[in-house]
Amino acid sequence: MFFRDRHSGGVVNYDVGVIDFLAKVMAATGQNRAIVLSGFRSLETNEALARTNFGVAENSQHIYGRALDVRFDAKLPEAMAAARAMRRGGVGWYPHSGFIHLDSGPVRNWDLGGTGLQDLLVKPAPPPVPLAKAETVANGPGSVVVEGKTPILLTGRVSLRVH
């Protein structure tokens, strides 16, 4: 089975595992129809989407014929929950866009709606460590931010002393 890239017209053999995953989700939630919004994407199409859309993975399972973005007429939250409970691959939840992502890659989950995806992209910064008296050399360009102070812009090699 294959799905054509809607921009390039390219095709790839599709992993039957993701089709089976979709069928199991539909059966679990009593769906008799699914709308496939995105199937195969060529590398070029994926790169173009990544430049203009937040949350498009650089190494997307869509490139390999292992992913589907789908919409159902009803019970989308239930479909997402059922898919995650099955632990058969990746499940992305896009509630504001009205679809879920299913893939037959490694088991993982993410949300892109109001919260959730930011933790996949950026790890929270560790708490600041109090500085002891020290002197260091920093190479610019860059900036140094001291809590409650205006950032210091570095344009070259600078010696910094902490009191």
Side-chain angles (χ1 to χ4, degrees):
M1 175 170 243
F2 65 87
F3 293 96
R4 189 173 305 278
D5 179 298
R6 66 187 180 119
H7 296 285
S8 71
V11 297
V12 67
N13 287 329
Y14 236 76
D15 179 12
V16 71
V18 73
I19 305 299
D20 187 56
F21 190 9
L22 172 59
K24 299 281 189 200
V25 170
M26 291 175 68
T29 57
Q31 306 287 339
N32 59 14
R33 174 179 123 116
I35 300 166
V36 176
L37 302 173
S38 181
F40 170 65
R41 292 184 202 149
S42 67
L43 184 58
E44 295 78 18
T45 295
N46 199 69
E47 288 171 349
L49 287 172
R51 283 192 298 271
T52 59
N53 294 285
F54 180 73
V56 176
E58 182 179 310
N59 197 28
S60 172
Q61 296 293 317
H62 287 277
I63 297 168
Y64 307 105
R66 295 190 295 245
L68 299 169
D69 293 339
V70 297
R71 174 176 289 155
F72 301 111
D73 292 331
K75 301 182 182 178
L76 192 60
E78 292 86 346
M80 178 273 301
R84 288 183 174 176
M86 290 176 193
R87 302 191 47 78
R88 293 190 57 169
V91 179
W93 172 228
Y94 299 82
H96 297 298
S97 299
F99 73 92
I100 61 174
H101 166 100
L102 302 173
D103 71 54
S104 56
V107 174
R108 65 216 185 285
N109 300 313
W110 64 94
D111 298 341
L112 182 57
T115 61
L117 191 63
Q118 70 277 4
D119 293 335
L120 289 175
L121 302 176
V122 179
K123 286 186 175 180
V129 176
L131 296 174
K133 278 189 162 185
E135 187 170 332
T136 189
V137 174
N139 288 315
S143 62
V144 175
V145 179
V146 178
E147 189 175 323
K149 305 286 183 184
T150 303
I152 302 166
L153 300 177
L154 305 176
T155 57
R157 189 174 169 97
V158 176
S159 176
L160 300 173
R161 183 172 294 162
V162 178
H163 298 280

